[in-house]
Amino acid sequence: MSAPEIASHALGITLFGPIQVLIEGQPLPPLRSRKALWLLALLTLRHNRLVERDWLAGILWPDVDQTRAFSNLRPVVSELRQALGSQAHRLQSPNRHTLCLDLTDATVDIRAFDTAIGSLNLSERERAVALYTGPLLEGCAEEWVFQEREKRQQDCLQALQVLGDSALEAGDYESATGYYQRTIGLDPWRETARRGLMEALARSGDRNAALQIYRKYTEQLREMPSISPDEETRALYNRLRAETSPKSPAHPVVATPASSPVVTGYLPHALTELIGREEERLEVAECLQ
């Protein structure tokens, strides 16, 4: 979601990457407590729904008793409402026990992402992965964020895999390569994406690059002896390697026996297989050709 698109709305909230909030094109004023930002994020993730104050207090202050946490919540709500300025009416308290954030006509990346990612339409999935510009609430180390963050990352990874597979099937190897590379960037251990990338590179004519993807992966795994590439990944590598190897000639090459070398000094003649290994030398030479 572009900055001009966000700025064109009365309220714009970006949760992918570091949190950003624009009110009529201007950044949210500095807040005394980051808890006010996390409160805004929690309500944004549950937009247009009633959220229990007790639950919010327990999530934001998990290490203090409920009474104190509830007491901490009140000034944070007031601070956030004041910072929202002309958009303060969106932070609603339908009753003394709940809060609600009205995001009608607001531009919110996470809301657009969640809508697009659930679609079976490829163009919508493309929109979703374009919205994913970084981890959800990057820099936030609150305990509650990790589950939300992991869910969105897995959603994005699945969409990228589908887009890559669709592009590969359609013969658009350049796009497929881009989708698979981005998938690996987000999850270096995702072998389905590595296999897709190897296929895309091989079909585009660069089999050596495809083989190199596998070799680099096995180098990474050397630090983890208990893990090895999937059987399917190894089979793909072996197939591509066989396709890359020079084809055997139609008619067998008859090797001409080498003449006995003239030996001077005290070195013995190549009389045994241990010393001469002529057959092995010829076989290696044939492979190199």
Side-chain angles (χ1 to χ4, degrees):
M1 191 170 294
S2 64
E5 184 180 356
I6 295 174
S8 65
H9 289 74
L11 177 63
I13 300 176
T14 301
L15 296 189
F16 287 120
I19 185 172
Q20 298 180 54
V21 183
L22 293 179
I23 301 170
E24 296 180 357
Q26 298 301 313
L28 188 75
L31 297 165
R32 293 190 302 273
S33 170
R34 291 190 68 80
K35 295 293 186 182
L37 273 181
W38 306 148
L39 172 61
L40 178 63
L42 283 165
L43 293 173
T44 300
L45 290 167
R46 292 154 184 79
H47 58 86
N48 299 333
R49 288 155 48 190
L50 297 182
V51 184
E52 294 289 334
R53 286 176 179 257
D54 285 348
W55 180 84
L56 288 167
I59 287 291
L60 291 170
W61 292 276
D63 299 326
V64 303
D65 63 80
Q66 189 67 21
T67 301
R68 184 179 172 187
F70 193 80
S71 178
N72 290 342
L73 180 62
R74 284 194 291 269
V76 169
V77 172
S78 297
E79 181 183 8
L80 178 57
R81 182 175 282 117
Q82 183 177 358
L84 287 171
S86 64
Q87 301 302 305
H89 63 278
R90 295 180 180 273
L91 180 54
Q92 301 169 1
S93 181
N95 56 62
R96 61 191 299 268
H97 300 293
T98 60
L99 290 171
C100 179
L101 186 64
D102 180 8
L103 293 179
T104 303
D105 298 327
T107 302
V108 185
D109 62 347
I110 186 68
R111 183 170 64 169
F113 175 87
D114 286 345
T115 300
I117 205 70
S119 173
L120 298 178
N121 188 291
L122 290 180
S123 62
E124 283 296 295
R125 294 191 181 191
E126 289 174 357
R127 181 168 181 256
V129 300
L131 287 167
Y132 191 90
T133 55
L136 184 72
L137 293 169
E138 187 174 2
C140 176
E142 298 287 307
E143 185 177 347
W144 56 266
V145 80
F146 294 107
Q147 184 176 354
E148 300 277 4
R149 183 180 292 160
E150 178 66 15
K151 179 184 183 305
R152 272 39 179 235
Q153 178 169 308
Q154 291 303 317
D155 286 344
C156 184
L157 285 168
Q158 184 177 0
L160 285 168
Q161 184 75 44
V162 170
L163 290 168
D165 292 347
S166 298
L168 182 65
E169 185 177 351
D172 185 356
Y173 304 130
E174 183 177 356
S175 294
T177 297
Y179 288 128
Y180 291 133
Q181 286 176 333
R182 188 177 173 195
T183 303
I184 295 169
L186 291 174
D187 183 0
W189 309 109
R190 201 174 186 91
E191 284 198 42
T192 52
R194 286 189 182 272
R195 290 196 294 270
L197 179 58
M198 290 168 66
E199 283 282 13
L201 290 170
R203 293 185 192 182
S204 67
D206 197 347
R207 285 195 176 88
N208 287 328
L211 295 173
Q212 192 63 17
I213 295 296
Y214 178 87
R215 291 166 186 152
K216 287 183 178 180
Y217 184 51
T218 56
E219 288 177 7
Q220 286 179 305
L221 293 179
R222 286 177 186 172
E223 300 177 1
M224 309 171 70
S226 61
I227 302 178
S228 61
D230 291 344
E231 183 177 346
E232 191 175 350
T233 307
R234 292 197 301 270
L236 173 60
Y237 171 74
N238 290 331
R239 174 171 65 81
L240 295 179
R241 187 176 61 175
E243 292 173 355
T244 306
S245 300
K247 300 294 187 294
S248 300
H251 301 287
V253 176
V254 179
T256 303
S259 59
S260 300
V262 176
V263 181
T264 60
Y266 297 100
L267 293 175
H269 288 280
L271 300 178
T272 69
E273 294 182 359
L274 178 64
I275 296 176
R277 303 182 71 85
E278 291 299 328
E279 293 182 2
E280 288 83 354
R281 183 180 65 79
L282 292 171
E283 181 179 353
V284 170
E286 182 180 346
C287 291
L288 289 175
Q289 290 174 2

